Amino acid sequence: MQVEIHTRDAEEDTIEILKEFRAKIRGLVHCFTGSLWLAEESLRLGLDISFSGVVTFKSAGALREVCQMVPLDRLHVETDCPYLAPVPETWKEKRTCLCCPHGSSGCRTQRHFDGKAV
């Protein structure tokens, strides 16, 4: 079964529940803002990690470090439009197309890959 997980302030509970369904699910952790531990455990369970525009915020240094360790074939970039647009588009009218040029910049900065490859 394909799943999309959105977890906040419940990392240990989330992983414990996901472990119960380990062989039955595939999918991703959407709008990831969690810890390195949550990312590592999610990847171990076969889930991909998806980052929103939050990864471009000045306060998201730890999140960019997590982004750096996620394998490129398991990394997704999303808008979570209209609420989590990337810098410099925050507080502007949100459009899905903002994701590629700006949303990937937080990951690109750490990963040193061309944003066109996203």
Side-chain angles (χ1 to χ4, degrees):
M1 173 191 313
Q2 291 286 339
V3 297
E4 186 171 308
I5 306 298
H6 189 136
T7 184
R8 186 172 182 176
D9 298 329
E11 292 189 1
E12 290 180 19
D13 291 338
T14 299
I15 293 302
E16 288 307 310
I17 292 167
L18 290 172
K19 283 180 179 179
E20 293 177 32
F21 298 95
R22 178 184 322 226
K24 299 176 183 173
I25 61 170
R26 293 181 40 186
L28 60 85
V29 182
H30 149 77
C31 196
F32 189 90
T33 56
S35 68
L36 177 61
W37 178 82
L38 179 62
E40 291 171 339
E41 291 299 311
S42 298
L43 291 166
R44 261 190 216 101
L45 290 169
L47 297 167
D48 291 355
I49 308 289
S50 183
F51 295 92
S52 70
V54 170
V55 78
T56 67
F57 295 1
K58 287 181 184 180
S59 61
L63 187 59
R64 284 188 291 278
E65 289 179 21
V66 173
C67 182
Q68 185 175 2
M69 60 74 60
V70 175
L72 289 178
D73 64 339
R74 310 279 300 280
L75 183 138
H76 299 253
V77 178
E78 62 178 282
T79 62
D80 199 27
C81 219
Y83 301 106
L84 299 175
V87 173
E89 302 298 334
T90 309
W91 307 112
K92 296 181 182 179
E93 180 181 343
K94 312 305 188 282
R95 298 181 315 271
T96 302
C97 63
L98 298 176
C99 178
C100 289
H102 301 298
S104 63
S105 66
C107 293
R108 184 172 60 237
T109 299
Q110 293 294 316
R111 300 304 293 268
H112 307 289
F113 64 88
D114 182 352
K116 293 178 184 177
V118 173

